Amino acid sequence: MGIKSKVNKILKYLKSICFILLLGMLGGSIAIFIKNIFNMETGSVADWIGSLGTILSLVFIYVQIREARDEYSRQRTSRIKIEVVLSTGYKEVGGGGLTPSGYNDLQIWAANISEAAGAYRYVGLCKKCDFEKVEDSAFYSQKLILNDYAFPFHKPIVEFKKYNEFETIQEKSISKIQTVKGEELIDFFFDDSTQEVPIYIMFVDAFNKPIIRELKLRLNGKEISIAE
């Protein structure tokens, strides 16, 4: 935790203590004010107002405890954001060199935006309309998802050729970058009648809960772009 976070936490606690003291003082002050102004026996009223201040203080303490617990839970629970970028694709040429392939490759990674590490697995890409089929496999095994025998009349429903192991993503860090070749994107997602397709990019956490980012790809000739 950085210095700024520690200072904010200390200030929050001081604010809570001051507010509790203020509520207690307020209850007592109101009781004294009524007694002095009206010069009458208002012991029961004073007691009632003092009790009200105590109740309000207890309510405030309860709210602060819940907020502190929720904040702690948020800090200790990892959360990722799926990021993507299209970049110039390259292919190998003789002698071990590289030359532009003429396609745009899609690079994908997960950024851990929390203050806790977590385990995640990159599953791959699928058409939005095929997501229910992927869900039916419960994300337990990408080998199951890619089983051509289970889907004999269709392509595999996930664009990735291997099972990825779980990867621990440290707090404020990113995962390994996955690159999907432009040729594979075109072959998998597009045909002569399809020029724009919504897709899902899928990761799962340690409990096999899917984390999804929806993306719309557009094809113009051999050039792939991300539709807004």
Side-chain angles (χ1 to χ4, degrees), residues 9-63:
K9 181 173 285 189
I10 293 172
L11 291 175
K12 186 175 181 179
Y13 287 150
L14 289 175
K15 180 182 177 181
S16 302
I17 293 171
C18 290
F19 194 79
I20 292 170
L21 292 174
L22 180 63
L23 285 176
M25 293 170 61
L26 181 63
S29 299
I30 292 175
I32 295 173
F33 176 78
I34 292 175
K35 188 172 183 179
N36 290 338
I37 294 297
F38 295 98
N39 194 23
M40 55 185 291
E41 290 296 327
T42 57
S44 59
V45 176
D47 292 342
W48 183 84
I49 294 175
S51 298
L52 179 61
T54 301
I55 291 172
L56 291 175
S57 298
L58 292 174
V59 170
F60 181 78
I61 292 172
Y62 172 75
V63 171

Side-chain angles (χ1 to χ4, degrees), residues 2-170:
I3 296 177
K4 184 177 180 180
S5 298
K6 291 181 180 179
V7 171
N8 288 336
K9 181 173 285 189
I10 293 172
L11 291 175
K12 186 175 181 179
Y13 287 150
L14 289 175
K15 180 182 177 181
S16 302
I17 293 171
C18 290
F19 194 79
I20 292 170
L21 292 174
L22 180 63
L23 285 176
M25 293 170 61
L26 181 63
S29 299
I30 292 175
I32 295 173
F33 176 78
I34 292 175
K35 188 172 183 179
N36 290 338
I37 294 297
F38 295 98
N39 194 23
M40 55 185 291
E41 290 296 327
T42 57
S44 59
V45 176
D47 292 342
W48 183 84
I49 294 175
S51 298
L52 179 61
T54 301
I55 291 172
L56 291 175
S57 298
L58 292 174
V59 170
F60 181 78
I61 292 172
Y62 172 75
V63 171
Q64 290 297 304
I65 290 175
R66 286 202 59 177
E67 288 183 354
R69 184 186 64 187
D70 293 344
E71 179 66 22
Y72 177 81
S73 178
R74 283 193 294 271
Q75 290 179 353
R76 302 308 301 170
T77 302
S78 61
R79 301 184 305 281
I80 62 170
K81 181 179 180 183
I82 301 173
E83 303 284 3
V84 299
V85 67
L86 283 170
S87 62
T88 301
Y90 291 89
K91 61 182 179 181
E92 292 185 3
V93 294
L98 294 174
T99 186
S101 64
Y103 297 92
N104 290 332
D105 294 345
L106 183 65
Q107 294 186 321
I108 303 165
W109 67 94
N112 188 342
I113 58 176
S114 68
E115 296 183 4
Y120 297 90
R121 180 169 72 84
Y122 172 65
V123 176
L125 315 176
C126 74
K127 293 180 181 179
K128 183 178 179 179
C129 60
D130 285 336
F131 181 67
E132 288 185 4
K133 299 176 187 177
V134 181
E135 268 193 316
D136 289 342
S137 72
F139 292 92
Y140 291 137
S141 171
Q142 194 166 335
K143 295 174 183 176
L144 173 64
I145 297 172
L146 291 175
N147 187 349
D148 287 319
Y149 181 77
F151 304 98
F153 305 109
H154 305 282
K155 294 179 182 179
I157 55 176
V158 173
E159 199 298 312
F160 208 77
K161 305 302 185 294
K162 65 178 181 178
Y163 179 86
N164 291 282
E165 300 296 335
F166 279 92
E167 173 188 1
T168 299
I169 308 176
Q170 298 298 330

Side-chain angles (χ1 to χ4, degrees), residues 171-189:
E171 59 272 21
K172 305 299 182 183
S173 298
I174 66 172
S175 68
K176 297 176 182 176
I177 297 176
Q178 307 287 342
T179 300
V180 185
K181 294 293 185 180
E183 305 98 303
E184 296 175 3
L185 289 173
I186 293 174
D187 178 63
F188 190 83
F189 290 114

